[in-house]
């Protein structure tokens, strides 16, 4: 017995190339609209984080001064907030639980005592790492 098989055409579901291109264009337009707004918020949060870290370091430096009688020298730097300088008998620290963090862009904070603007200068040079600048590249300071 010979059976004859009829080929049935079945409709396969899927997307056409044109439909896929339209979806990709829509996703691209959304990304172009949302992306810059999202990344500008990231930059603002880095600046706010640097300001908060400078504020916390400034408070630890004030506590150090209350105990020792003066701020750490520029040579001792912010490390004096964690480890006792060899010449400080009245040191009651540590004033921070761990070594001072780097700024949000991965560079150490700049500390100078005596300061040029205040008793001590504490700053980050911002995103560009250079003195001065505007916006996200502006210096973040304690004054």
């Amino acid at each position: 017995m010979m059976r004859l098989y009829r080929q049935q055409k079945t409709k396969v579901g899927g997307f056409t190339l044109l439909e896929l291109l339209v979806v990709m264009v829509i996703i691209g337009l959304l990304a172009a609209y949302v992306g810059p707004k999202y990344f500008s918020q990231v930059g603002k949060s880095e600046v706010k984080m640097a300001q908060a870290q400078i504020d916390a370091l400034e408070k630890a430096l004030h506590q150090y001064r209350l105990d020792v009688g003066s701020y750490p020298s520029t040579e001792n730097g912010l490390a004096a907030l964690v480890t006792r300088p060899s010449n400080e008998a009245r040191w009651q620290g540590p004033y921070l639980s761990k070594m001072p963090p780097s700024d949000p862009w991965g560079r150490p904070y700049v500390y100078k005592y005596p300061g040029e603007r205040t008793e001590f200068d504490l700053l980050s040079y911002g995103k560009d790492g250079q003195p001065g600048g505007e916006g996200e590249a502006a210096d973040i300071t304690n004054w």
Side-chain angles (χ1 to χ4, degrees):
M1 290 193 152
M2 192 191 269
R3 289 189 174 169
L4 296 176
Y5 290 99
R6 291 178 67 190
Q7 291 184 343
Q8 294 181 353
K9 290 186 179 181
T10 58
K11 186 171 181 175
V12 177
F15 297 105
T16 65
L17 181 59
L18 183 59
E19 290 170 329
L20 290 174
L21 288 173
V22 168
V23 169
M24 289 175 61
V25 166
I26 291 171
I27 290 172
L29 289 172
L30 285 173
Y33 178 73
V34 173
K37 291 182 184 255
Y38 171 75
F39 287 112
S40 71
Q41 294 300 320
V42 170
K44 288 178 187 176
S45 68
E46 288 173 333
V47 169
K48 287 182 181 181
M49 186 162 80
Q51 290 169 335
Q53 287 176 336
I54 284 176
D55 185 52
L57 291 170
E58 190 174 22
K59 288 176 182 170
L61 285 163
H62 289 313
Q63 185 63 45
Y64 180 98
R65 185 179 138 271
L66 286 173
D67 290 346
V68 174
S70 67
Y71 293 105
S73 67
T74 302
E75 294 77 32
N76 289 335
L78 297 174
L81 298 173
V82 180
T83 57
R84 177 192 303 264
S86 59
N87 58 349
E88 293 298 342
R90 297 186 307 180
W91 190 84
Q92 299 294 315
Y95 301 95
L96 295 174
S97 59
K98 57 185 177 181
M99 287 302 286
S102 298
D103 69 11
W105 301 278
R107 292 181 290 276
Y109 285 99
V110 177
Y111 171 75
K112 296 177 190 172
Y113 177 75
E116 297 171 9
R117 305 262 181 139
T118 62
E119 288 184 275
F120 62 88
D121 292 345
L122 182 60
L123 63 126
S124 165
Y125 287 125
K127 186 175 185 176
D128 65 352
Q130 302 297 319
E134 295 181 11
E136 293 176 25
D139 297 348
I140 298 127
T141 66
N142 67 323
W143 60 85

